[in-house]
Amino acid sequence: MSENILDINDLRTSFFVEGNEIKAVDGVTFQVPKGKTLGIVGESGSGKSISALSILQLIENPGKIVGGSINFKGEELTKAKNSRMRDIRGNEISMIFQEPMTSLNPVYTIGQQLRESYKIHEGLGKKEGTKRAIEMLELVGIPSPEKRINQYPYELSGGMRQRVMIAMALACKPELLIADEPTTALDVTIQAQILELIKELQDEIGMSVVMITHDLGVVAETCDYVAVMYCGKVVEYADVETLFANPKHPYTVGLLNSLPRHDVDQDELVPIKGNVPAPDEMPTGCRFAPRCPHASDICSKLPGLETQEDGNDVRCWIYTEEWDGEKGVKVYDRESTT
Ligand SMILES: Nc1ncnc2c1ncn2[C@@H]1O[C@H](COP(=O)(O)OP(=O)(O)OP(=O)(O)O)[C@@H](O)[C@H]1O
Ligand code: SF4
Ligand SMILES: [Mg+2]
């Protein structure tokens, strides 16, 4: 077993709004082995960003971490002091935010911000730092970087800011990079370039990565492990080969069946029926039950996340002794989908 750089256990983060508790992250468990990439996938609102922000202790009122543990290299982050967290955020864990403006300082130029990072982390002076900043901006696909470094964040387009932020996040050579939808706003060529850059840095410094994405194609290309989230819970966790070859949770299967593929006619794509339930209509049993084609009586109770023979951790009654639905049910029909 490889060592885990990050070990999250039963993490719970809620928002308290008008007397109600919205359980955005509701008992999330996953691990990130050192030097590897974990993908987190799931529909909008499933709690991916809130999980990431919880790791960095960046949850603001009315939100609060209400339970569980976040173990980073043996240190419990839910108990870490603010000063220690600031230190971790600048040095050991970097995050690429879904909303680029949040991590750029509006009163400093791009060059000043990048130079500052190189000064702190590598002791580079102004001249060396500027050279490095230009190289890094070039690497993330920014045209005329020698001009851009003198501009302020507001002078750049959204896509450009996203790339500057990626350059910033990578400048400190973090041990763990959390990338929240890092490439969705970018065109395909730049997207590929940036994923490649992350990969290179990973090989060079052994960086570990948490990659949050809607895109299963990105997962297949870049991730070693995958956590599939639904309504604040991890419903399946597996290594990437196992997940694509032998998905077990009906929600994972639904995601894979709705993925456009070159070998399947677009008409044959089957979207998952229905919508994610609103917080006040959340089922108390399996959260996926209202949309699940296999739901049975027992699904009105919440299943646990259990490790299966193939190595997947799955939260579904079908794979338990208690299953009371159709025997030998075929959740993933490999014959018709390969
Ligand atoms: N500031 C807030 N106040 C109240 N509830 C919130 C707040 N932020 C998030 N939530 C709740 O947390 C849930 C999870 O949000 P989160 O941003 O983690 O989703 P996500 O999986 O990142 O979605 P997306 O794919 O759209 O980025 C939301 O559905 C919402 O119910
Ligand atoms: S526990 Fe039941 S409802 Fe939930 S995914 Fe499994 S079969 Fe479907
Ligand atoms: Mg998000």
Side-chain angles (χ1 to χ4, degrees), residues 15 17 22-25 42-51 60-62 98 180-181 212 214 279:
F15 289 87
V17 186
I22 299 166
K23 297 179 176 180
V25 174
E43 269 160 297
S44 192
S46 55
K48 305 180 298 293
S49 296
I50 300 298
S51 298
E60 287 173 0
N61 251 335
Q98 206 168 357
D180 193 355
E181 305 274 3
I212 299 175
H214 277 98

Side-chain angles (χ1 to χ4, degrees), residues 283-294:
T284 49
C286 174
R287 310 300 195 241
F288 191 55
R291 305 172 75 185
C292 180
H294 309 290

Side-chain angles (χ1 to χ4, degrees), residues 249-251 286-290 292-296 298-301 303 315-319 323:
H249 196 283
Y251 179 63
C286 174
R287 310 300 195 241
F288 191 55
C292 180
H294 309 290
S296 180
I298 190 155
C299 305
S300 62
K301 289 199 291 180
R315 189 185 280 285
C316 172
W317 286 116
I318 291 176
Y319 307 98
W323 176 238

Side-chain angles (χ1 to χ4, degrees), residues 2-15:
S2 53
E3 188 192 338
N4 294 326
I5 188 161
L6 185 69
D7 207 324
I8 297 201
N9 221 310
D10 200 25
L11 177 67
R12 292 164 192 277
T13 303
S14 293
F15 289 87

Side-chain angles (χ1 to χ4, degrees), residues 253 256-257 261 263-265 268-270 330-338:
V253 172
L256 290 175
N257 285 344
R261 291 179 5 195
D263 55 336
V264 174
D265 199 322
E268 290 178 34
L269 297 178
V270 203
K330 244 186 181 174
V331 173
Y332 185 58
D333 191 349
R334 209 179 302 200
E335 302 287 291
S336 73
T337 46
T338 54

Side-chain angles (χ1 to χ4, degrees), residues 236-253:
E236 184 155 9
Y237 175 91
D239 67 70
V240 71
E241 289 84 17
T242 307
L243 191 99
F244 280 94
N246 196 6
K248 288 204 153 52
H249 196 283
Y251 179 63
T252 313
V253 172

Side-chain angles (χ1 to χ4, degrees), residues 15-303:
F15 289 87
F16 296 88
V17 186
E18 293 165 5
N20 295 317
E21 179 180 5
I22 299 166
K23 297 179 176 180
V25 174
D26 188 16
V28 157
T29 298
F30 61 73
Q31 299 81 38
V32 184
K34 199 166 185 308
K36 302 289 184 193
T37 301
L38 168 79
I40 304 184
V41 294
E43 269 160 297
S44 192
S46 55
K48 305 180 298 293
S49 296
I50 300 298
S51 298
L53 293 169
S54 300
I55 296 170
L56 287 170
Q57 308 289 305
L58 287 175
I59 299 295
E60 287 173 0
N61 251 335
K64 194 174 181 312
I65 295 179
V66 291
S69 82
I70 301 169
N71 189 303
F72 173 65
K73 294 190 300 179
E75 186 174 352
E76 181 52 50
L77 297 190
T78 54
K79 299 203 172 79
K81 291 205 173 87
N82 287 343
S83 55
R84 173 68 186 130
M85 278 318 300
R86 270 197 297 277
D87 198 36
I88 287 178
R89 285 197 289 266
N91 292 294
E92 294 162 52
I93 309 179
S94 265
M95 179 154 171
I96 300 171
F97 293 87
Q98 206 168 357
E99 172 39 63
M101 270 320 255
T102 36
S103 68
L104 292 174
N105 193 325
V107 302
Y108 293 108
T109 65
I110 304 305
Q112 284 168 326
Q113 298 189 50
L114 276 168
R115 268 202 307 270
E116 181 65 16
S117 186
Y118 290 125
K119 187 172 147 194
I120 297 171
H121 298 287
E122 294 177 46
L124 298 187
K126 189 169 177 189
K127 202 164 156 218
E128 274 294 298
T130 304
K131 191 165 157 262
R132 251 324 232 297
I134 292 174
E135 280 169 9
M136 192 52 140
L137 291 177
E138 223 153 29
L139 275 177
V140 295
I142 296 210
S144 328
E146 60 293 332
K147 291 202 188 99
R148 293 289 178 188
I149 56 166
N150 297 318
Q151 291 186 317
Y152 291 89
Y154 72 87
E155 295 179 82
L156 305 179
S157 69
M160 210 72 99
R161 276 202 294 263
Q162 181 75 350
R163 280 179 263 167
V164 168
M165 198 175 60
I166 292 165
M168 290 279 300
L170 297 178
C172 73
K173 299 197 170 168
E175 289 171 63
L176 175 66
L177 174 73
I178 303 176
D180 193 355
E181 305 274 3
T183 56
T184 29
L186 307 173
D187 70 57
V188 208
T189 333
I190 302 287
Q191 182 173 338
Q193 232 168 290
I194 284 178
L195 294 176
E196 186 55 35
L197 179 64
I198 293 176
K199 197 106 215 121
E200 275 168 25
L201 207 58
Q202 192 160 24
D203 292 343
E204 188 192 323
I205 61 169
M207 178 174 78
S208 314
V209 179
V210 174
M211 176 76 69
I212 299 175
T213 176
H214 277 98
D215 189 338
L216 284 169
V218 170
V219 171
E221 269 172 46
T222 62
C223 298
D224 302 294
Y225 296 87
V226 192
V228 180
M229 284 192 66
Y230 189 76
C231 293
K233 291 187 183 295
V234 172
V235 295
E236 184 155 9
Y237 175 91
D239 67 70
V240 71
E241 289 84 17
T242 307
L243 191 99
F244 280 94
N246 196 6
K248 288 204 153 52
H249 196 283
Y251 179 63
T252 313
V253 172
L255 283 182
L256 290 175
N257 285 344
S258 56
L259 186 70
R261 291 179 5 195
H262 57 82
D263 55 336
V264 174
D265 199 322
Q266 290 293 312
D267 295 343
E268 290 178 34
L269 297 178
V270 203
I272 303 171
K273 289 194 187 75
N275 295 307
V276 176
D280 56 345
E281 287 169 6
M282 197 57 71
T284 49
C286 174
R287 310 300 195 241
F288 191 55
R291 305 172 75 185
C292 180
H294 309 290
S296 180
D297 290 348
I298 190 155
C299 305
S300 62
K301 289 199 291 180
L302 182 68

